[in-house]
Amino acid sequence: MRLVAVLFLAIWAGCCNAVKFPIVIVPGICGSQIEAKHYKDLHYPFYCPSMKDWTQVWLSLEEVFPKLANCFAKDMTLEFDPKTKKYSEPDGVGVRIPNFGSTKSVEYLDQDTSLPVRYTTRYFHDMVDFFVKDMGYVRDETIVAAPFDWRLSPWSMDGYFENLQSLIDNVTAKYNAPAILVSHSMGGPTLQAFLNATTADWKAKAIAAWFPIEGVWTGSPKVLKAVLSGDNFGTPAPVGELVDFERTLESTIFLMPHPALWPKNNSDLVYLQNPQKVYGVNDYLELFTALNVSYPEERINHILEKRLSLQAPGVRVFCIYGTGMDTAYGYEYADLRGSNPLRKILGDGDGTVPLPSLEYCKNWKSQQTQPVELQSFPGVEHVKAIMDPDIFRYVQKNIDAMAEEYDRHH
């Protein structure tokens, strides 16, 4: 099978004299598989599986069913050290991100191919399949993926930037062409932070263009719902079992609407009935304190500072996002006891991220010399965007046009 792939690549590279840019996929929040291992007896409830070997916990459909959701939450919880400002797993728990470099890390979130309902965990599969069948790409050869620990902010993912740059260097050297970056959701600001950490010379040689899809550029109020009452991300897990775990995540802080970047006319985010209180973008410390979240000041302030320091990426950008979907700009709650919101304050967006955040990339036009193009897709939802044929064809059209341009100059 490997020989067939190599022969195909040789034929593919030789036809039509058109450059083939290797593609690197960076997924979004919850878009990378996570495995865990227990190094000692953790005295979990009797129904929790013992994991002496590396075992998939995200996304494992078995792990997130109601009875086992509590076990999954324990394994995924983070602990924060206020002295070092670093996050770690609870004592006795190890966590890793498997299959770095392979598209199987992002095509389906559950690796168990025997499950008849595995298709419900489909993520980047449709897009990868399009690149393979319609554009001649080869999985794990000319199209690769860079999963990450989405519980953390980009600055806490030890070694991720180095591994991502090495992956890009390897594919660009192997195929003698700069890479195309494709990201989704949280993968957008994560790649932005990565590109800010690389040199202009390296980007000019290594990156042909970046296609961020549904980028959460200035945040999303939906992460506050996870902190207030929990979010099961479309799984069967009871949200009440997840709220404590989700309050420990650094990524929830990373993705909160940024006080300095959020529209002032939408600055109120949480409307509380009992007691009557409104929490806005400048009230995160007060809100986290009211929720009894540990170390709110130490956890929040430095992330907001780092997020504000992000600059234009310095590469060619095709910013893609959905519009016309009812999207939460705020939530009304009866109290802070973890019950579901009474109602959502709705506006335009992709169903998850409000429009001002999605289209914030337009500001890069005046901040860099490389072209920045925005393309909206009415009626396209946040996750469904990476399964949308119209978006596939838009990406294909622009990659083909760039290949022709590249060939004329090389």
Side-chain angles (χ1 to χ4, degrees):
M1 192 68 185
R2 182 80 174 177
L3 178 60
V4 172
V6 171
L7 289 173
F8 179 81
L9 282 170
I11 296 170
W12 178 52
C15 81
C16 310
N17 295 318
V19 66
K20 294 293 185 181
F21 303 113
I23 294 176
V24 180
I25 294 173
V26 176
I29 191 167
C30 301
S32 302
Q33 300 160 0
I34 295 180
E35 294 179 344
K37 180 179 181 178
H38 296 166
Y39 292 104
K40 65 178 185 180
D41 185 1
L42 298 174
H43 305 291
Y44 281 4
F46 72 92
Y47 50 80
C48 292
S50 174
M51 297 190 296
K52 296 180 180 179
D53 296 315
W54 289 108
T55 304
Q56 185 171 5
V57 291
W58 182 267
L59 173 65
S60 167
L61 288 175
E62 294 179 354
E63 283 276 332
V64 297
F65 275 120
K67 185 176 180 180
L68 297 180
N70 178 46
C71 315
F72 148 79
K74 289 179 180 293
D75 290 324
M76 296 276 285
T77 290
L78 289 170
E79 294 182 350
F80 178 75
D81 185 334
K83 294 181 180 179
T84 63
K85 291 185 171 59
K86 290 185 178 294
Y87 290 80
S88 62
E89 282 73 43
D91 184 42
V93 178
V95 165
R96 70 180 186 184
I97 311 302
N99 302 314
F100 186 86
S102 174
T103 62
K104 70 180 180 181
S105 66
V106 297
E107 291 196 55
Y108 289 89
L109 297 181
D110 195 325
Q111 297 184 59
D112 189 349
T113 58
S114 67
L115 286 174
V117 292
R118 179 175 180 249
Y119 73 92
T120 62
T121 73
R122 189 171 85 257
Y123 187 40
F124 261 102
H125 172 74
D126 292 10
M127 181 174 282
V128 171
D129 223 35
F130 176 85
F131 287 138
V132 169
K133 294 178 180 177
D134 287 56
M135 298 183 67
Y137 281 84
V138 178
R139 286 178 170 89
D140 302 345
E141 295 284 351
T142 48
I143 180 168
V144 296
F148 58 84
D149 190 342
W150 46 264
R151 301 173 303 161
L152 300 167
S153 78
W155 303 285
S156 296
M157 300 173 192
D158 292 342
Y160 181 70
F161 284 3
E162 293 82 359
N163 292 336
L164 176 55
Q165 186 164 357
S166 179
L167 179 65
I168 294 170
D169 285 341
N170 288 340
V171 294
T172 56
K174 187 173 183 180
Y175 300 107
N176 195 30
I180 296 288
L181 305 178
V182 176
S183 64
H184 178 244
S185 188
M186 178 183 169
T190 298
L191 259 181
Q192 184 185 5
F194 164 74
L195 292 168
N196 278 194
T198 60
T199 67
D201 286 345
W202 180 82
K203 287 183 283 195
K205 294 175 183 176
I207 309 300
W210 175 23
F211 291 82
I213 302 171
E214 312 292 5
V216 194
W217 303 121
T218 63
S220 171
K222 189 176 181 183
V223 298
L224 288 174
K225 177 180 176 294
V227 171
L228 286 159
S229 54
D231 190 338
N232 63 10
F233 304 106
T235 71
V239 292
E241 296 283 358
L242 303 181
V243 63
D244 288 338
F245 143 67
E246 288 169 343
R247 289 175 181 176
T248 73
L249 303 185
E250 188 182 30
S251 53
T252 57
I253 298 171
F254 177 63
L255 295 176
M256 292 191 306
H258 196 287
L261 304 175
W262 202 251
K264 289 181 171 51
N265 60 330
N266 293 121
S267 62
D268 293 337
L269 303 173
V270 178
Y271 299 81
L272 203 62
Q273 287 188 349
N274 185 25
Q276 286 193 346
K277 173 74 177 175
V278 177
Y279 293 97
V281 293
N282 294 303
D283 303 318
Y284 293 140
L285 291 179
E286 187 179 356
L287 176 60
F288 273 53
T289 300
L291 292 168
N292 294 316
V293 175
S294 300
Y295 309 114
E297 186 172 358
E298 294 88 342
R299 291 181 59 198
I300 292 173
N301 287 347
H302 79 287
I303 290 298
L304 293 182
E305 290 172 6
K306 283 180 174 290
R307 190 76 194 269
L308 187 60
S309 71
L310 290 178
Q311 304 294 317
V315 299
R316 186 173 187 178
V317 176
F318 296 87
C319 200
I320 300 168
Y321 52 93
T323 61
M325 306 292 291
D326 283 341
T327 304
Y329 280 57
Y331 295 90
E332 182 178 352
Y333 281 88
D335 50 47
L336 293 179
R337 297 177 183 175
S339 57
N340 288 326
L342 300 174
R343 70 181 181 98
K344 301 175 184 178
I345 293 83
L346 298 174
D348 194 6
D350 66 4
T352 295
V353 183
L355 184 59
S357 183
L358 292 166
E359 64 179 13
Y360 187 81
C361 47
K362 67 185 178 185
N363 293 284
W364 299 342
K365 291 182 178 183
S366 62
Q367 298 171 5
Q368 64 176 42
T369 57
Q370 298 83 3
V372 177
E373 299 181 30
L374 278 70
Q375 182 62 55
S376 63
F377 288 83
V380 174
E381 187 267 340
H382 186 76
V383 176
K384 295 294 177 63
I386 58 169
M387 307 172 190
D388 189 275
D390 289 337
I391 290 180
F392 300 167
R393 286 188 285 270
Y394 173 79
V395 174
Q396 179 186 31
K397 177 187 71 174
N398 284 288
I399 289 178
D400 288 347
M402 283 188 295
E404 292 180 10
E405 180 184 354
Y406 186 90
D407 285 335
R408 284 197 300 269
H409 293 92
H410 293 80

